[in-house]
Amino acid sequence: VTVRGLLKGLYEKACQQKMWGLVRHTAGMLGKRVEDLAKAVTDLLVRQKQVTVGMPPNSEHTITAPLPEMELRAVIHEAYGDDESTAMLSQELLVYLAMFIRTEPQLFHEMLRLRVGLIIQVMAKELSRTLNCDGEQASEHLLNLSPFEMKNLLHHILSGKEFAINSVARGNISIVSCKSSRVSKKSQIGIGEPEGGTADGGSLIDDRQGQWLRRRRLDGALNRVPRDFYPRVWTVLERCSGLAIEGRVLPQSLTQEMTPNELKFALEVETALNTIPQPEYRQLVVEALMVLTLVTEHNILASLGEIIYVEHLVHKANQLFLVDQRKVHGDAMLCCAKNKDIRETTTAGLLLCGGAAYICQHLYDSAPSGSYGTMTYMARAVASVLDCLPKQGDMDCTIS
């Protein structure tokens, strides 16, 4: 009896018992690949979507051209190292993504690169949030989802729809849309009545509180950007010496080499943005770039000067936000706005609120619009940081 033979027997038994986590793990160990994997990846590539597998920032592999099945499987499994379960899950998700891009292409608008590793992370985070469990348990739940539920969860993530989780027999879970009549109050997990509070009021506030942070995490993980984002960044680049994003500089010379709507230019910008491992921070950088595009579109200045360090704008916006939070005694007074001089951190060196890249979690969770919105702080940061803008006197401002 060989080990492979035993594994094969275990795989077949797991299939019969519908123990999906074990099915995925043993399938990976046996070197199996999902049906039509190469066709699925080709379907994504021909629609001008690049695909990455592996977890950012260190082990991401980009697939830019169609590959044979065996080669593709080797790339995927190399990206995940010894994690056979996640490697098999990646294969599975690629097939589902290809199904969706064929039937619902609108889900992929303004998405240039599909980062499967980040999508897996965000799926686990969504389960963690909904089931109210830690990351390890959420990953376990994710790997144990049936293929139908996995596809269902992925669709909810891509479409941004709210979902609930029902418990079903043998510890399996079922993903249902919040509007669905299948959501029963008794069997719902993680959306029950909070301790010491009313069911409706408490959960509504909780949902509202994490809404924008979650939205940014989802959009960042899916690499989703606003409409016409890349051509608009091109116009900004035309008026400054370059844009620096996390140490990577997009030089002005790109505007001479590429046109605004060229895919190659969009990929250059995308590659710079992908140096940011935290999805929510990436989205704030995108918002900062959008404010810069407004400056150029409204012809406020003929030139924006030297290289613009976009992350400096985000951190300046965070500082301005914290100043306002102190004035109004906002939620950030519990963490980042607590002390003007000392930034309190955990033993691991992270912010008390858990904000990524030393940006307050409450800023991530602010709506873009409004007087305390992120776009307002970004606009103020641009006015403060850019030397080319006059510091005194009146100036016509068409951005409002």
Side-chain angles (χ1 to χ4, degrees):
V1 178
T2 62
V3 173
R4 187 174 180 82
L6 290 169
L7 267 177
K8 214 169 179 182
L10 181 60
Y11 170 75
E12 284 163 6
K13 195 149 193 178
C15 287
Q16 287 166 7
Q17 300 280 330
K18 296 184 179 177
M19 298 169 76
W20 301 112
L22 196 53
V23 168
R24 289 182 177 104
H25 190 70
T26 49
M29 291 181 81
L30 288 165
K32 291 185 178 291
R33 59 182 185 273
V34 297
E35 208 174 328
D36 293 332
L37 177 62
K39 183 179 180 296
V41 172
T42 304
D43 278 343
L44 295 167
L45 293 173
V46 296
R47 287 167 176 84
Q48 294 197 319
K49 306 293 177 196
Q50 288 199 343
V51 176
T52 72
V53 290
M55 296 298 177
N58 302 320
S59 61
E60 259 191 316
H61 292 235
T62 305
I63 302 165
T64 55
L67 294 170
E69 296 262 344
M70 290 305 290
E71 215 174 305
L72 199 52
R73 188 200 171 279
V75 168
I76 292 169
H77 284 256
E78 186 190 335
Y80 293 101
D82 297 329
D83 191 350
E84 298 291 353
S85 301
T86 312
M88 281 309 295
L89 178 56
S90 292
Q91 289 192 40
E92 196 179 330
L93 292 180
L94 284 168
V95 172
Y96 299 150
L97 287 166
M99 283 181 191
F100 293 142
I101 207 166
R102 286 193 294 265
T103 55
E104 298 178 69
Q106 73 278 5
L107 292 177
F108 297 84
H109 282 176
E110 310 305 332
M111 286 162 62
L112 266 185
R113 193 169 294 183
L114 302 170
R115 301 169 78 186
V116 179
L118 266 186
I119 290 172
I120 290 171
Q121 279 183 357
V122 92
M123 287 170 88
K125 272 181 186 162
E126 284 295 280
L127 283 183
S128 169
R129 178 186 67 86
T130 318
L131 290 167
N132 202 16
C133 62
D134 64 29
E136 204 170 312
Q137 286 175 308
S139 298
E140 197 64 34
H141 282 303
L142 180 66
L143 289 167
N144 279 295
L145 286 180
S146 71
F148 173 77
E149 297 301 348
M150 189 70 75
K151 185 181 166 190
N152 200 358
L153 176 60
L154 178 62
H155 189 271
H156 277 85
I157 298 282
L158 288 172
S159 60
K161 287 179 185 170
E162 292 293 328
F163 67 91
I165 290 178
N166 276 3
S167 59
V168 291
R170 294 191 305 167
N172 293 330
I173 56 180
S174 170
I175 313 288
V176 289
S177 178
C178 276
K179 290 178 181 175
S180 171
S181 57
R182 285 167 55 205
V183 181
S184 73
K185 289 288 174 195
K186 285 180 184 172
S187 65
Q188 230 164 291
I189 303 174
I191 311 179
E193 191 170 318
E195 287 179 32
T198 59
D200 293 342
S203 61
L204 265 176
I205 290 165
D206 284 350
D207 279 356
R208 243 196 339 264
Q209 273 180 343
Q211 183 184 338
W212 283 105
L213 170 62
R214 179 173 168 257
R215 181 74 264 156
R216 287 188 174 99
R217 273 186 184 151
L218 288 176
D219 285 343
L222 295 170
N223 280 24
R224 195 173 267 144
V225 293
R227 186 170 290 180
D228 298 326
F229 174 71
Y230 300 107
R232 291 167 84 174
V233 170
W234 190 93
T235 62
V236 174
L237 207 49
E238 205 179 20
R239 297 202 192 185
C240 64
S241 299
L243 290 168
I245 299 169
E246 289 296 299
R248 191 182 180 105
V249 178
L250 295 168
Q252 190 188 41
S253 58
L254 288 178
T255 58
Q256 272 95 53
E257 296 165 19
M258 303 166 196
T259 60
N261 293 298
E262 199 172 323
L263 178 64
K264 201 175 171 188
F265 176 75
L267 288 171
E268 286 283 345
V269 178
E270 185 77 5
T271 303
L273 287 170
N274 284 351
T275 57
I276 303 168
Q278 307 96 332
E280 60 268 47
Y281 182 47
R282 181 189 192 276
Q283 283 311 101
L284 282 191
V285 169
V286 167
E287 286 178 36
L289 285 167
M290 285 304 290
V291 171
L292 286 172
T293 68
L294 292 173
V295 174
T296 56
E297 282 166 19
H298 291 280
N299 282 319
I300 292 168
L301 294 163
S303 168
L304 296 177
E306 297 302 309
I307 291 174
I308 299 169
Y309 293 86
V310 186
E311 65 268 26
H312 290 185
L313 298 176
V314 178
H315 283 275
K316 182 65 181 175
N318 185 55
Q319 285 172 20
L320 295 168
F321 169 75
L322 295 179
V323 168
D324 281 0
Q325 286 288 297
R326 289 185 195 107
K327 285 178 187 170
V328 298
H329 295 283
D331 290 342
M333 286 295 286
L334 297 170
C335 50
C336 305
K338 199 186 282 185
N339 192 317
K340 277 187 185 181
D341 307 311
I342 305 163
R343 180 166 60 189
E344 287 192 53
T345 55
T346 62
T347 49
L350 303 170
L351 293 183
L352 288 179
C353 58
Y358 294 103
I359 301 291
C360 182
Q361 186 104 301
H362 295 287
L363 181 63
Y364 286 122
D365 203 24
S366 301
S369 58
S371 55
Y372 294 101
T374 53
M375 293 299 266
T376 301
Y377 289 110
M378 293 297 175
R380 285 171 60 188
V382 167
S384 171
V385 171
L386 290 192
D387 293 330
C388 50
L389 285 167
K391 303 295 178 195
Q392 291 179 331
D394 294 330
M395 187 177 184
D396 284 338
C397 179
T398 47
I399 304 174
S400 58

